[in-house]
Amino acid sequence: MNIVVYVKAMVDPDKASDDLTLVSEPAKNGTAVILNPYDKNAIEVALQLKEKYTGEVTAVSFGGDIETEKVLREALSLGCDHAFKVNDEGYESLDAFSPMLGSVLGKVPVADVSYFITGREAADDNQSIIGASIAAAVDADFVDNVDEIEFLENHSLKLVSRWDQSELSGIYEKTPLVISVTDTINTPRLPSFKAKMQAKKAKLDEVKVSDLTDLDLTQLNNLREKVDSTGVFEPEVINKENIIYDLEQDEQAVDKLMDNLKEKGIL
Amino acid sequence: MNNQTVYLCATTDDQSEVEALQKVVQESFSTASITVVAFQSEALDQTKFQASFDQNVDAITFLNVEKLSVLDPNAVAKAYNQYFQKNDAGRIIFYANRFNNGIAARVAASNLSAIVTDVEKIEATDDHLNLVKKSYSGALKRQITVTDAAPLIITVNNSNITLEKVAAKETAVTEETLSIDYQVPKTAVYKSLVDNDNLNLDNAEVVVAGGRGLKGAEEFKNLEKLAENLSAAVGASRPVVDNGWVPNTLMVGQSGKSIEPDIYFAFGISGAVQHTVGIENVKTIVAINSDEKAPIFKIADYGIVGDAKEVIEKMTEITAQK
Ligand SMILES: Cc1cc2nc3c(=O)[nH]c(=O)nc-3n(C[C@H](O)[C@H](O)[C@H](O)COP(=O)(O)OP(=O)(O)OC[C@H]3O[C@@H](n4cnc5c(N)ncnc54)[C@H](O)[C@@H]3O)c2cc1C
């Protein structure tokens, strides 16, 4: 019974909006690259599965060298046993708008996997499609937006999926199972200093997209040609005409605000 | 390409879902051939759905899965897959929420189609679609061009558009019963979290929210008193929830709720994009923050630079006199 957890390197949203070129060239500034925050919760679930049951945790990351290495070492420092780099070979844009990345990730050679864990979404693309496509690639059921997990006897899991307006709870016995988790499911652990130092030296496994046999690259290329992202831009700043009172200068600030809101019919 | 059928897919009869799909017709596909494919369940009543869908469409089909005990996204996706195998799928559109995004992702994965979720704008031209969606949790937007991809799956988040009334023509309504190969998990329970009986973030016209600037759980008790005076619901930023000052259900933002009250008071909230993404459709934002440079003031209509505790106290006093 092994566990795979998928981790994504992304540019820190605050840094991305300061320098839009980072979005297409994250490696330009290694310090701007962070582990997708949702993936920290996914790693935590993977480690808990290992601790409650058995098996080893492999972290898998797709992308350019510098970025994947950084987040995989972070995953190792948190307690993952192995790390697998999937070299994008110029397929970097395939991940965002099609299920093809899931097809690639599902093919990464890790033996005897019972659980595939991902974060609910990547905080850069905000697509939330990866879990479903991994599930299709490995022919497993998919439980998404898992917000509560309980480890039962005989390797069965009680999971609660929580969406905006509804929830579904149930007991899942069948494996393999693909699970995507929310960022409110747990509080991720922090790495120890020693673990960080060890992770720096650890060996990473590596595979290229073209090494993955039984992957239909024609299909992959076809789909890629049809969807093109012409880039990111900053949202329009609505320069609001606002009325700001200062409590230190004006004792009546609160009264004035409330009067104003009432006068305008807002309150 | 522009004679491809547009399929509008619905999994609930919620007003926001029905309206969002109608806005897609109004904004982007007013001349296209349109079929609505609604998944019948405890969350979607056929009569109610049909009555509220009054935009011009060519057909409405209700999917019915035999013996489905709970609304499980795996089952819903399988039903849509079966439907789209029989019908030459063109463009498939869902209303964007976490449940539907999961369905859309599963359908896209099964037929390896292109997929863009949470799309704010769809511009249809003769030979391609221009889409705009949020990226970096709302800090940036991304432009995506899709040429001749079929099927293409989109989920839409278009609450900023106003729906105009039209005189709808008669629509052909059909029902399709499917049997799918899927077993729901053991002891599965599906629950709606919509609460129309009590005042809450989803239905309140006034929301008073607190952030880390409130310093502790104690000040939230005072905020509750103010909320009572204003008939308002209480909201919170993420650190407040993480610190256990208030329950999870009060969180506003990317990991919490997107809300649309008429007026939102933000006490001691800095205005990080992951928070403000949840209040972008609020009409009036009032910020109370001791730091005049806090980013929240950039999106506020009104504000007070000052101590949140003091302002809450004063406001509670003023509103109690009424
Ligand atoms: C993946 C991800 C998802 C996230 N999702 C969410 C989400 O859904 N919702 C959310 O809210 N956040 C979310 N966040 C966190 C977000 O980035 C911010 O950290 C958070 O919103 C900050 O909360 P805050 O404004 O309460 O705290 P702070 O940023 O610490 O701001 C506190 C504010 O209080 C002011 N203040 C201090 N003392 C006083 C006083 N006495 N009187 C008045 N003002 C005072 C300060 O000037 C400051 O502006 C998410 C982050 C990530 C990475």
Side-chain angles (χ1 to χ4, degrees), chain A residues 10-14 16-17 20 22-23 38 41 96-100 103 120-121 123-130 132-133 136 141-145 147 158 162-173 183-184 219 223 225-238 240-248 251-255 257-258 260-262 264 266-267, chain B residues 14 70-74 97-99 101-102 105-106 108-110 112-118 132-150 182 185-194 202 206 230 238 248 251 254-255 257 262-263 265 273-274 282-286 297-307 310-311 314-315 318-319 322:
Chain A
M10 57 171 276
V11 177
D12 184 327
D14 291 331
S17 45
L20 297 190
L22 282 175
V23 171
Y38 294 93
N41 304 87
F97 309 108
S98 87
M100 294 308 297
S103 310
R120 181 187 95 187
E121 64 180 276
D124 52 357
D125 300 319
N126 304 113
Q127 277 275 77
S128 53
I129 61 170
I130 199 71
S133 41
D141 281 337
F142 173 43
V143 193
D144 65 274
N145 282 282
D147 198 36
K158 178 164 188 248
R162 213 160 265 142
W163 303 288
D164 313 72
Q165 303 283 18
S166 58
E167 64 173 42
L168 175 69
S169 69
I171 294 174
Y172 296 79
E173 293 171 322
D183 58 340
T184 41
Q219 207 169 17
L223 204 52
E225 275 164 20
K226 290 173 178 167
V227 188
D228 186 26
S229 173
T230 35
V232 291
F233 58 95
E234 282 189 83
E236 225 178 293
V237 206
I238 319 153
K240 278 200 171 176
E241 272 212 30
N242 54 19
I243 303 176
I244 311 287
Y245 304 91
D246 191 333
L247 198 56
E248 249 177 42
E251 252 179 41
Q252 300 296 309
V254 182
D255 301 85
L257 170 71
M258 297 306 269
N260 206 334
L261 291 176
K262 249 179 258 160
K264 298 244 169 70
I266 301 171
L267 255 191
Chain B
D14 289 349
V70 292
L71 192 57
D72 181 321
N74 286 309
N97 60 28
R98 286 174 201 159
F99 184 81
N101 283 354
R106 284 173 175 86
S110 298
L112 290 186
S113 68
I115 171 164
V116 189
T117 60
D118 270 297
V132 175
K133 74 164 286 176
K134 257 191 217 87
S135 70
Y136 291 89
S137 309
L140 298 174
K141 307 250 180 200
R142 189 176 274 282
Q143 174 116 35
I144 299 139
T145 309
V146 189
T147 350
D148 195 29
Y182 177 75
K186 247 175 51 180
T187 69
V189 181
Y190 174 87
K191 235 180 21 201
S192 165
L193 302 175
V194 180
D202 292 318
V206 182
L230 288 169
R238 169 140 197 181
N248 223 329
M251 182 160 52
Q254 196 200 351
S255 301
K257 283 179 181 297
D262 292 335
I263 180 164
F265 290 88
V273 64
Q274 292 92 349
V282 174
K283 287 191 204 89
T284 306
I285 294 174
V286 184
F297 284 122
K298 284 201 199 118
I299 62 158
D301 302 273
Y302 297 90
I304 294 180
V305 179
D307 178 42
E310 216 180 308
V311 175
K314 191 84 216 286
M315 271 189 191
I318 296 172
T319 50
K322 282 199 303 191

Side-chain angles (χ1 to χ4, degrees), chain A residues 14 23 25 39 46-47 55 68 71 88 95 101 103 107 110-111 131-132 140 153 164 184 215 247 258:
Chain A
D14 291 331
V23 171
E25 256 184 287
D39 295 345
L47 296 173
T68 48
V71 297
D88 65 14
D95 54 338
L101 175 60
S103 310
K107 299 252 157 58
V110 181
E153 309 232 321
D164 313 72
T184 41
L215 185 72
L247 198 56
M258 297 306 269

